[in-house]
Every structure is written in C-alpha cells, then in structure tokens.
Amino acid sequence: MAMVQLGSKAVGSIVKLKENGALVEYLIVQQGLPSSQYDISCDGTWLLRKDIYQEKAWNDKATNVLETSSLDSFLNNTFLNLFEANIKNAIKQAKIPYRKGGGGGTNQTGANGLSRKVFLLSRLEVFGSQYTTTDREEYGSILAYFDPPPSNGRQKRIAYFNGKADFWWLRSPYYDKYTDWNFNGVNCVSYDGGGVEIASNTERGVRPAVILPKTVLVSDDGSVTTNTAPSVPASITIPSSISGGTTITVSWGASTDAQGNLEGYKVERSTNGGSSWSQIYQGSGRSATNSVAFGTVSVMYRVKAYDSEGLESGYKTSGQVTVFNNRAPGKPPSITVPVQVEGGKKITVSWAAATDADGNLSGYALERQVAGGAWSQ
C-alpha cells in the first residue's frame, strides 16, 4: 500500500478519518498558516468535515461567548473522543484566532488565540472580507479552499446533512457596530452558501475542523494514519558455503514496531548477480528454507518486515555467495575379488569404472573389512 505525507496533498483533496471506527470524508482546506495572524501551532494541514455531523445549538444558553459555549465543549470532549487514539493524539493543539468575550468582546490572534484541538471555522476563514462592513470580524484570514470567494466560493460553502443542504455554524459571534446587538447572534453559513446570523440557542449544522501535522501519512484510499513502518530486520544469515542442488536455511533477526502491529516478513532471492528479485517466503516466522538449483552461479537474499496496515521496512540484504556446483561420481558398477584367499599372500581386487557427470572423476578409495570389524582404507 503506497503512502504519501498529508502535507503533499492538494487543497480541495478529500481524505478520511475514522470516527467511532467508521471512515468519514474530510476536505483539505488549508496547507500551512493562513496568515501572520495565526500562531505557529496552526501550521499544518487543515481538515474540515465534508458533511455536517449533526444539528446542535451553538450554545444552550442565549449568549455568543465562544470559549464557554456548549458546542465548543462538545467538540473538544465528546466529538474529539470519536477519533481513534493515534489520530486524537496527533491532532494539533492549535491557538485559533477568536473574539474573546463574545460579540462585544475583543479580537485575539497569534499566541493569544484560543487553544483547541477541534474547532469551527471563522467567518473570515470561509467568506474572506466579503462581509466586514456591519460587524467587527477582523480576526483570521480566508482559507485557501474558499479563496477566491467571488467566483465559486458560494458553491464550496454548501454542506449537507442527511443528503440535504443545510445551515452550518461558524465560530464567529455576531456584532453590529450600529445597533450594538451582540447578545446571542452567531455567524452561520446558509443552505445556499450565503452568510446569515442566527441566535446561538438555535439548532444548526456542525462541521468540525482539525489541524494535523503535514507529516501524517495518507494511504491510497485516502485514509489518514499515524502508523509508522517497522524497523529493518536486525540481521540476515545464510550459509557461507552452498552447493547446487541442495536446500539451505535463511534466518533473520527481529524487527521492532512502534505501534506493536508487526505482522510478518518477506524474503526475496536474487541469482547469478542479477538485479531482479523473487519472493521465496512471507509469514511471521524468522527462518525459511530454499532450494538452490544445480547450476546456479551465485545467490543473495534479502528480508523486510511489514505491519498490519501494509507499511514495510527497508531491506536487510545478505552478501553474495558463490554456489559450488559439483555432483558426486556414480558408484562403480561392480567389484571383483578372488573366490579363495590364502593367508599371507597378496590378492588383486578390481572394479569397473565409475561415471562422473561433471567430468572431473579423480580416483577411487578402496576399503577392507576383516572378520566383521571396522572398515579401513
């Protein structure tokens, strides 16, 4: 399974995070800091849930103070805990720009931002400077996915709940500098992608956003994972002398895996100094046997580890061993000794010629046994 870093994915791409064990689509809406208004903790890949999670009041009480709102608490407790542990831990604790104290409060940016793992987008992040004439939404910057807003921004802002376009909350309290109406109004995106202000205790759609490190990995199917590959196996051992036509044993040292999901090893062989490799073993063991065909000039072996999510380590490679190709001669077809032997006299023993497929027959060794004892040459 191929993996790429999240930071290499284009803005607008869809990736998937597991919520309660099920993969859910998220949009990449920003890579890196949107502007200098953002603390360095916001540097990463910004993900926005593609569809609305549920309809919920921004605040159970009729106020628009973000930092004490019921929705902010829900996002950073109940919703955050829907993610699997490795993703939950990887989500950045980001200081997001916000309006402290609600609509009539003060803008906070940079290091003074609100420290959160899960948050709603602000109006400027979604609409840019389109609607800054009637209220003081002066914190944050438009995100790359929604920029430029005039041509296609409205369509990009439309979100669905149960298959139907719906309103969705922003984190920005409403403030009208002319009427000073700031008690419970909150900015919201309309079902048609426009902007609207709604009372905070009204139920509207929730689209959570998170920031992940750019180094987090994304698989072919878009799944985001913090899984890391196993380590390279510690060693590989093969015989120092190998004869063609025999079976040898290849063994290797264990790999380690930070997530504890090491699943097994793959062993490959290269013959005759070639650059191509063929797999001879896959499994959880730490040794394998392999037949080396007669006539093979040389062999090399290599091993790598893999985990349950398909990530693989690098290879541990053996040295190249020259194969010794020599077959034993055939046995002499007959042996002749005298029928009668007299003690104290010499006899002649003869035998028929043996054959040797390699043409390197060197000679014969003759042994004798006396009175049922041991054989001697």
Side-chain angles (χ1 to χ4, degrees):
M1 185 185 302
M3 293 278 186
V4 297
Q5 290 192 345
L6 186 58
S8 70
K9 302 284 285 185
V11 169
S13 300
I14 291 177
V15 296
K16 300 172 185 176
L17 301 179
K18 279 187 178 179
E19 293 176 6
N20 229 12
L23 288 171
V24 176
E25 292 184 336
Y26 277 73
L27 281 164
I28 297 177
V29 292
Q30 178 71 33
Q31 291 283 16
L33 294 175
S35 75
S36 59
Q37 289 195 47
Y38 292 78
D39 181 71
I40 191 64
S41 61
C42 297
D43 187 14
T45 301
W46 291 51
L47 302 179
L48 174 67
R49 200 178 196 275
K50 183 174 179 286
D51 292 322
I52 292 167
Y53 173 68
Q54 70 174 78
E55 289 183 331
K56 191 173 181 65
W58 198 87
N59 201 359
D60 294 337
K61 299 177 181 178
T63 66
N64 61 11
V65 179
L66 173 66
E67 57 269 34
T68 59
S69 67
S70 56
L71 184 51
D72 178 67
S73 176
F74 168 81
L75 290 175
N76 286 277
N77 291 281
T78 304
F79 186 82
L80 178 61
N81 289 327
L82 296 179
F83 294 119
E84 54 188 346
N86 60 337
I87 294 295
K88 177 182 173 180
N89 294 334
I91 293 173
K92 302 193 72 171
Q93 190 79 35
K95 294 182 177 180
I96 55 171
Y98 78 114
R99 193 169 184 85
K100 184 178 180 180
T106 56
N107 297 328
Q108 304 293 318
T109 61
N112 296 320
L114 185 64
S115 182
R116 293 292 187 267
K117 282 204 165 194
V118 187
F119 55 93
L120 304 174
L121 298 186
S122 75
R123 196 183 60 181
L124 267 182
E125 289 165 358
V126 175
F127 288 95
S129 57
Q130 284 182 292
Y131 304 106
T132 56
T133 56
T134 59
D135 58 48
R136 297 175 183 177
E137 176 71 19
E138 299 169 353
Y139 53 89
S141 302
I142 191 166
L143 304 180
Y145 177 73
F146 297 105
D147 191 23
S151 58
N152 58 5
R154 180 177 286 268
Q155 185 63 37
K156 285 187 174 183
R157 291 191 293 264
I158 295 174
Y160 295 84
F161 180 60
N162 292 336
K164 182 179 178 181
D166 201 354
F167 293 79
W168 52 283
W169 289 117
L170 300 173
R171 72 172 181 271
S172 307
Y174 179 75
Y175 181 88
D176 190 324
K177 64 182 179 182
Y178 299 108
T179 65
D180 202 33
W181 183 66
N182 60 22
F183 181 61
N184 73 339
V186 177
N187 284 281
C188 196
V189 178
S190 175
Y191 68 92
D192 61 359
V196 66
E197 297 80 35
I198 297 178
S200 63
N201 55 354
T202 306
E203 290 194 351
R204 290 294 183 263
V206 179
R207 287 185 81 184
V210 297
I211 303 173
L212 280 169
K214 296 178 184 179
T215 53
V216 165
L217 298 176
V218 183
S219 64
D220 292 336
D221 67 355
S223 303
V224 176
T225 177
T226 58
N227 184 49
T228 56
S231 67
V232 175
S235 61
I236 184 169
T237 303
I238 64 174
S240 58
S241 178
I242 299 174
S243 297
T246 63
T247 298
I248 67 166
T249 298
V250 182
S251 58
W252 52 91
S255 293
T256 58
D257 190 280
Q259 287 74 45
N261 62 343
L262 176 68
E263 191 162 90
Y265 302 90
K266 296 178 182 179
V267 183
E268 298 175 349
R269 182 184 72 174
S270 171
T271 59
N272 305 333
S275 59
S276 62
W277 294 81
S278 58
Q279 185 171 301
I280 65 161
Y281 173 80
Q282 179 174 345
S284 59
R286 296 247 308 282
S287 66
T289 57
N290 182 238
S291 296
V292 180
F294 188 86
T296 304
V297 176
S298 64
V299 289
M300 290 178 68
Y301 293 85
R302 65 184 186 181
V303 60
K304 64 181 176 181
Y306 62 93
D307 66 18
S308 60
E309 293 193 27
L311 287 187
E312 298 178 340
S313 72
Y315 286 101
K316 190 72 172 180
T317 305
S318 74
Q320 182 169 278
V321 175
T322 299
V323 178
F324 180 65
N325 289 293
N326 185 54
R327 289 163 288 194
K331 68 180 180 180
S334 63
I335 184 171
T336 302
V337 298
V339 177
Q340 291 183 340
V341 178
E342 295 183 26
K345 293 186 178 181
K346 292 183 178 182
I347 65 168
T348 298
V349 180
S350 61
W351 51 90
T355 58
D356 187 276
D358 303 310
N360 62 348
L361 178 65
S362 184
Y364 302 88
L366 181 64
E367 296 181 352
R368 179 182 70 172
Q369 185 188 61
V370 178
W375 290 90
S376 60
Q377 185 170 299

